[in-house]
Amino acid sequence: MWKSTELRRLLAEAGLEISAGKMSALWTGTPTTIRLDDLDVICSVLECAPTDLLICEPEKVHARRPRQAETATSTPLVTPRLGRNRSVPPA
């Protein structure tokens, strides 16, 4: 398959209408999201499995995790107030 328009036509014949922008992202290999139903149709048209199209990127998953080691050793952001220094409610 050499043209994105050919893939878009095949997907439309299989019942999946894709916008030009989404088709461009799929064709260039940088889609931000894809529905699993759509992936199923794409795999059916291309006669492949999802694992043939998806690339595992564990370093990106690791980069998204919050850094808990830094916050555990630093001083707390909130300091407790001792005593009953509460304000009086409005009258």
Side-chain angles (χ1 to χ4, degrees), residues 43-91:
C43 288
S44 174
V45 167
L46 296 176
E47 298 177 354
C48 66
T51 54
D52 297 329
L53 302 176
L54 302 176
I55 300 170
C56 292
E57 296 177 326
E59 64 279 355
K60 287 187 178 181
V61 173
H62 182 68
R64 292 180 61 163
R65 291 184 184 156
R67 299 180 185 227
Q68 294 177 354
E70 292 177 2
T71 58
T73 59
S74 64
T75 59
L77 298 175
V78 178
T79 56
R81 293 189 324 184
L82 302 174
R84 292 205 170 265
N85 299 332
R86 295 184 183 169
S87 62
V88 178

Side-chain angles (χ1 to χ4, degrees), residues 1-76:
M1 190 162 309
W2 297 99
K3 294 182 181 180
S4 64
T5 54
E6 183 182 350
L7 177 59
R8 190 172 177 201
R9 181 184 54 78
L10 291 171
L11 292 173
E13 289 173 2
L16 178 60
E17 293 288 334
I18 292 185
S19 68
K22 189 172 182 180
M23 188 68 231
S24 175
L26 286 171
W27 193 256
T28 60
T30 57
T32 54
T33 61
I34 187 164
R35 292 179 48 210
L36 293 177
D37 293 343
D38 296 349
L39 181 61
D40 196 27
V41 174
I42 292 168
C43 288
S44 174
V45 167
L46 296 176
E47 298 177 354
C48 66
T51 54
D52 297 329
L53 302 176
L54 302 176
I55 300 170
C56 292
E57 296 177 326
E59 64 279 355
K60 287 187 178 181
V61 173
H62 182 68
R64 292 180 61 163
R65 291 184 184 156
R67 299 180 185 227
Q68 294 177 354
E70 292 177 2
T71 58
T73 59
S74 64
T75 59

